[in-house]
Amino acid sequence: MIELEFETKNCWDVYGDKKSKTAMENLAQEYVEFLSRCKTERETVEFVRGQLRAAGFVESLTGDFKGEAVFRVARGKTLFAARKGKLPLSAGFRLIGAHADSPRLDFKQRPLYQECAVAQAKTHYYGGIRKHQWLARPLALHGVVVKTDGTVMPVCIGEDPADPVFAISDLLPHLAYKQVEKKLSDAFEAEKLNIILGHAPAADKKTEKKNGNTLVKRKVLELLHARYGIAEEDLYSAELQAVPAGPARRVGLDSGIVGGYGQDDRICVYTALRALLAAPRPEHAQVALFWDKEEIGSEGSTGAKSHFFEYCLEDVIAAWEPKAKPRRVYEKSKALSADVHAAMDPDYQDLHEKLNAALLGYGPCFCKFTGHRGKVGANDAHPEYVAWLRGLLARANVPWQMAELGKVDHGGGGTVAKFLAVYGMDVIDFGPPVLSMHSPFELTSVADLYATMLAYKAFLQS
């Protein structure tokens, strides 16, 4: 009998057997460790690089791909990986593209100064943040400092329990009467997102008269020099990011939720990587792309608007099937823009159109189109492709749901999907729902994590 009505399935019900529960728990624990360790795009790409090498993928520095499982990294921030399938490349490939960057606070080019007996660093926020969420909370400092001789100094302060952390001060309620009357967009100024780095003055009193009262700043510079061998001028060629300090955690008495920074979109990076490593003998060639710069429009040489993907695929074609025409390969290929979706918030349900809203625990979410107000700036997936994916997931017994990003004229956003669509391949956004997206502590379902990995695996094996 044909079911005339469709109901989404709850992942906890579908994966209720002992074997699935064990696999789900193991994946969640490993994901928490990954999320705690990888808080920047550089750290994420370096983690993926290590996993691919361990799995037998061969890295190419020049694009001269040799072997059936290869990868290449662009400037430490973007990664292309490919595995040969049983079918020729001209039959098309299966591509999963995610992004490794997340909203954060970047140090300005000249960040250090001293005021009111504290040393601070000026920042410029990266991506879409709600500024007040970054105040009065422990922050860690991640990134690199590059010296003029080419030496790259990795920086990570605030994650080891023995490390100090950093913070941005917040206004006390006793003096905030005028602030609370302002619109939220006006109450918190970007130029006041200044990070406290230190308070104790340097011991050398002779420099106080010469340089003004900057002994606290000087102490900070002395500590940085002692730890990393860098001077203030080296910060001009630095890439330092302030991110929430501390590990990801399980949330709730049942531990059914993962809470942590950067799950948009590192949950998709991780599940795509795990799916790739779990699908070693595919029918079609497999491609995994982990980009930088999605949160600021996919710009730059490491973003999805760059030609890095195109160049890598040209090199793969040259190595695996030199007579194949690139445009024909693209046209026969299928892609997933692996990005998270907004879960319906139980306290803000009025911002969603409930019939087309995502729920935690009901599996990865198809977003047929993104954009805003009339689908402007959207990739709108073709119904033939949606139907093909429905059949694929039904055969794999993977729950899924479909949703929009908020009510019409209330929400909107963009992904890398439209940058893949220009090549003529089928593409749709597909990833797990998230609560508190873009916050310093995002929330995802353990069940959705598991279902997303299985969905990506089924896609790569198709």
Side-chain angles (χ1 to χ4, degrees):
M1 180 179 176
I2 298 176
E3 292 288 341
L4 296 180
E5 290 187 284
F6 172 75
E7 288 188 11
T8 54
K9 297 178 181 179
N10 190 307
C11 294
W12 297 104
D13 295 333
V14 174
Y15 302 121
D17 61 285
K18 185 176 180 180
K19 182 179 179 181
S20 296
K21 285 182 177 180
T22 300
M24 185 188 303
E25 179 60 26
N26 290 338
L27 183 68
Q29 286 301 108
E30 292 166 1
Y31 174 60
V32 166
E33 293 173 9
F34 160 79
L35 205 60
S36 301
R37 172 180 169 183
C38 300
K39 294 190 176 181
T40 70
E41 61 275 14
R42 287 180 182 268
E43 292 166 348
T44 304
V45 166
E46 191 57 33
F47 174 87
V48 174
R49 173 188 260 143
Q51 294 287 303
L52 291 176
R53 283 175 173 170
F57 280 71
V58 179
E59 182 174 7
S60 170
L61 300 177
T62 62
D64 183 18
F65 290 123
K66 296 178 180 179
E68 296 189 353
V70 297
F71 73 98
R72 186 180 180 188
V73 174
R75 291 174 169 81
K77 300 179 184 179
T78 290
L79 184 144
F80 169 95
R83 181 192 276 129
K84 186 181 288 188
K86 298 175 186 176
L87 296 173
L89 194 57
S90 54
F93 52 79
R94 302 288 185 260
L95 181 152
I96 298 180
H99 65 92
D101 62 318
S102 293
R104 59 181 187 255
L105 301 178
D106 287 342
F107 274 31
K108 287 192 176 185
Q109 300 88 332
R110 188 175 182 179
L112 302 185
Y113 71 103
Q114 176 181 327
E115 290 286 351
C116 302
V118 294
Q120 292 177 276
K122 298 199 71 65
T123 69
H124 193 132
Y125 66 91
Y126 173 99
I129 69 169
R130 303 190 73 192
K131 301 180 185 72
H132 63 278
Q133 294 178 335
W134 291 77
L135 308 179
R137 64 176 304 123
L139 299 173
L141 189 58
H142 290 235
V144 295
V145 178
V146 185
K147 304 178 76 171
T148 54
D149 64 0
T151 303
V152 179
M153 303 296 300
V155 173
C156 183
I157 309 173
E159 301 296 353
D160 190 295
D163 280 347
V165 294
F166 310 97
I168 301 170
S169 63
D170 196 5
L171 191 59
L172 64 163
H174 312 70
L175 300 178
Y177 295 117
K178 289 187 177 180
Q179 185 189 54
V180 298
E181 294 173 354
K182 296 180 180 179
K183 292 192 303 182
L184 191 62
S185 58
D186 297 330
F188 301 95
E189 301 174 34
E191 286 293 353
K192 291 184 179 179
L193 295 176
N194 301 316
I195 296 169
I196 295 175
L197 298 179
H199 170 58
D204 185 6
K205 298 292 185 180
K206 295 179 181 179
T207 61
E208 185 171 5
K209 291 182 180 179
K210 181 179 178 181
N211 298 326
N213 189 13
T214 60
L215 290 179
V216 181
K217 173 189 169 184
R218 181 176 178 82
K219 181 68 173 181
V220 168
L221 287 169
E222 288 176 354
L223 292 169
L224 288 174
H225 186 268
R227 186 162 180 166
Y228 298 107
I230 59 176
E232 184 173 16
E233 185 182 350
D234 293 322
L235 298 179
Y236 282 118
S237 51
E239 190 175 76
L240 297 175
Q241 304 173 10
V243 299
R249 302 288 297 273
R250 301 291 285 275
V251 175
L253 291 174
D254 56 5
S255 298
I257 289 173
V258 172
Y261 165 71
Q263 299 199 69
D264 177 9
D265 186 36
R266 294 186 189 116
I267 188 171
C268 292
V269 171
Y270 187 74
T271 48
L273 173 65
R274 289 294 303 268
L276 178 68
L277 298 181
R281 290 186 56 79
E283 291 295 317
H284 291 81
Q286 300 167 333
V287 174
L289 266 168
F290 303 133
W291 275 295
D292 181 27
K293 297 292 187 288
E294 192 275 345
E295 296 293 0
I296 58 170
S298 297
E299 308 288 351
S301 61
T302 53
K305 286 183 181 178
S306 74
H307 294 288
F308 174 67
F309 163 51
E310 188 176 329
Y311 296 156
C312 287
L313 194 66
E314 287 176 359
D315 292 334
V316 166
I317 291 173
W320 292 353
E321 196 178 342
K323 293 184 179 180
K325 294 182 178 180
R327 66 178 183 272
R328 301 301 182 205
V329 176
Y330 286 124
E331 289 171 353
K332 292 187 178 181
S333 299
K334 294 177 172 24
L336 296 178
S337 169
D339 210 338
V340 297
H341 195 82
M344 186 157 61
D345 191 313
D347 286 331
Y348 297 96
Q349 298 182 43
D350 58 309
L351 296 176
H352 298 266
E353 191 268 285
K354 291 187 178 181
L355 201 60
N356 290 281
L359 295 174
L360 285 186
Y362 282 78
C365 180
F366 287 113
C367 187
K368 187 175 182 292
F369 53 86
T370 52
H372 62 278
R373 293 175 178 81
K375 302 185 181 181
V376 175
N379 166 68
D380 202 342
H382 301 296
E384 293 88 349
Y385 187 41
V386 176
W388 181 83
L389 288 165
R390 285 175 50 213
L392 174 70
L393 296 181
R395 291 189 294 275
N397 194 32
V398 175
W400 56 273
Q401 51 189 322
M402 186 169 282
E404 297 180 16
L405 187 56
K407 288 182 177 179
V408 178
D409 284 344
H410 280 241
T415 68
V416 300
K418 61 184 179 182
F419 306 121
L420 292 171
V422 297
Y423 294 102
M425 67 181 84
D426 275 317
V427 59
I428 192 171
D429 287 294
F430 187 52
V434 176
L435 282 173
S436 299
M437 191 190 299
H438 280 212
S439 79
F441 196 73
E442 297 172 314
L443 305 173
T444 59
S445 166
V446 168
D448 290 335
L449 171 76
Y450 184 61
T452 300
M453 187 276 291
L454 293 179
Y456 289 166
K457 180 182 175 184
F459 174 78
L460 289 173
Q461 290 179 315
S462 65

